[in-house]
């Protein structure tokens, strides 16, 4: 069984995906980390982030087991990720790993931007998680504060807006709601309430597979 969770920056999809995977005993893949790691390594090698040749070479050689680096979670890493993520060959190079991961038994939860549309268009359940940019910025800001990262709220908000525009506006695999995805608006929901709502959506989908 495959559960696809997509949504804009800091929408809470990662937290939700992890909780769902734990609850169901499924594997979980935060696909954003793949793009973040590619960007980190391209920069580390001294290339520009929009250098297609370098980014593709890094993406092809990426070891997806090495995604534990805490620096990957920062704002700079997210912004850099969205630049390499625009390169179609980078996306293509990361596709087979994501699809293989999705097929791991007994099931997998993947979160990202194009899981329900490109990576796993046949996913059993697709949820698109949203919240207003201000709510998302407040949540991400709180995460950074808890980790002691000195980033201003305004910086977090503007990063989110820039990234959303870049991700939705790219021609290849743009962030969009899959036609058969179920929307989960979490602006007024706690993590717990969002989790309960997602479980409800999954149950509904499984008992009425044709409906979205
Ligand atoms: O956690 P957050 O929502 O802030 O970002 P993320 O999911 O780690 O994704 C970082 C960036 O990677 C996004 O802004 C996208 O540009 C890119 N990405 C993508 O293009 N496709 C995916 N499936 C996942 C991430």
């Amino acid at each position: 069984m495959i559960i696809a969770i997509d949504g804009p920056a800091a929408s809470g999809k990662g937290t939700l995906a992890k909780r769902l995977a734990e609850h169901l005993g499924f594997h979980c893949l935060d696909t954003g980390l793949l793009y973040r790691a590619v960007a980190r390594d391209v920069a580390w090698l001294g290339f520009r982030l929009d250098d297609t040749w370098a980014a593709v070479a890094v993406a092809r050689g990426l070891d997806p087991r090495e995604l534990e680096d805490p620096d990957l979670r920062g704002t700079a890493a997210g912004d850099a990720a969205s630049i390499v993520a625009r390169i179609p060959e980078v996306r293509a190079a990361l596709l087979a790993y994501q699809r293989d991961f999705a097929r791991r038994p007994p099931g997998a939860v993947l979160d990202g931007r194009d899981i329900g549309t490109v990576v796993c268009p046949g996913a059993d359940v697709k949820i698109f998680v949203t919240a207003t940019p201000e709510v998302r910025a407040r949540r991400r800001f709180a995460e950074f504060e808890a980790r002691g990262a000195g980033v201003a709220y305004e910086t977090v908000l503007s990063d989110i807006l820039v990234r959303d525009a870049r991700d939705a506006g790219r021609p290849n695999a743009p962030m969009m709601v899959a036609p058969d995805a179920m929307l989960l608006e979490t602006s007024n929901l706690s993590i717990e309430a969002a989790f309960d709502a997602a479980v409800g959506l999954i149950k509904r989908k499984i008992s009425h597979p044709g409906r979205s």
Side-chain angles (χ1 to χ4, degrees):
M1 173 158 173
I2 301 174
I3 301 182
I5 313 276
D6 288 303
S11 53
K13 58 196 181 315
T15 307
L16 181 62
K18 236 180 269 141
R19 295 275 318 258
L20 288 173
E22 272 163 24
H23 181 72
L24 297 163
F26 284 7
H27 302 279
C28 187
L29 179 63
D30 173 350
T31 64
L33 282 179
L34 300 172
Y35 295 94
R36 287 171 182 255
V38 170
R40 171 199 59 194
D41 294 350
V42 169
W44 185 80
L45 288 167
F47 292 95
R48 283 170 48 122
L49 293 167
D50 60 358
D51 183 320
T52 298
W53 178 84
V56 173
V58 167
R60 287 189 181 143
L62 188 74
D63 183 347
R65 289 167 303 183
E66 289 176 3
L67 303 174
E68 294 303 320
D69 177 358
D71 286 349
L72 289 181
R73 305 272 174 192
T75 40
D79 185 60
S82 70
I83 296 173
V84 298
R86 295 178 62 160
I87 304 172
E89 297 90 336
V90 166
R91 308 196 68 83
L94 298 175
L95 201 52
Y97 175 76
Q98 296 176 80
R99 286 189 175 152
D100 287 348
F101 189 99
R103 281 193 290 266
R104 288 188 189 177
V109 184
L110 284 82
D111 78 87
R113 302 290 185 291
D114 61 340
I115 308 303
T117 50
V118 175
V119 178
C120 302
D124 303 276
V125 177
K126 300 180 186 180
I127 299 177
F128 194 92
V129 186
T130 59
T132 65
E134 290 74 19
V135 167
R136 291 187 276 129
R138 248 181 277 133
R139 288 178 186 160
R140 184 59 47 100
F141 175 66
E143 265 173 48
F144 286 148
E145 279 219 306
R147 291 210 312 259
V151 188
Y153 167 81
E154 289 71 24
T155 310
V156 178
L157 178 60
S158 77
D159 168 69
I160 280 175
L161 294 172
V162 167
R163 236 158 16 98
D164 282 357
R166 205 180 274 143
D167 291 344
R170 68 182 171 222
N172 189 255
M175 170 175 71
M176 59 184 275
V177 185
D180 52 347
M182 299 175 289
L183 275 181
L184 180 56
E185 159 55 52
T186 68
S187 296
N188 296 312
L189 300 182
S190 63
I191 292 177
E192 204 52 43
F195 170 74
D196 290 344
V199 170
L201 291 176
I202 292 170
K203 284 187 180 156
R204 196 179 82 189
K205 187 71 189 181
I206 290 168
S207 48
H208 303 285
R211 269 194 240 158
S212 53

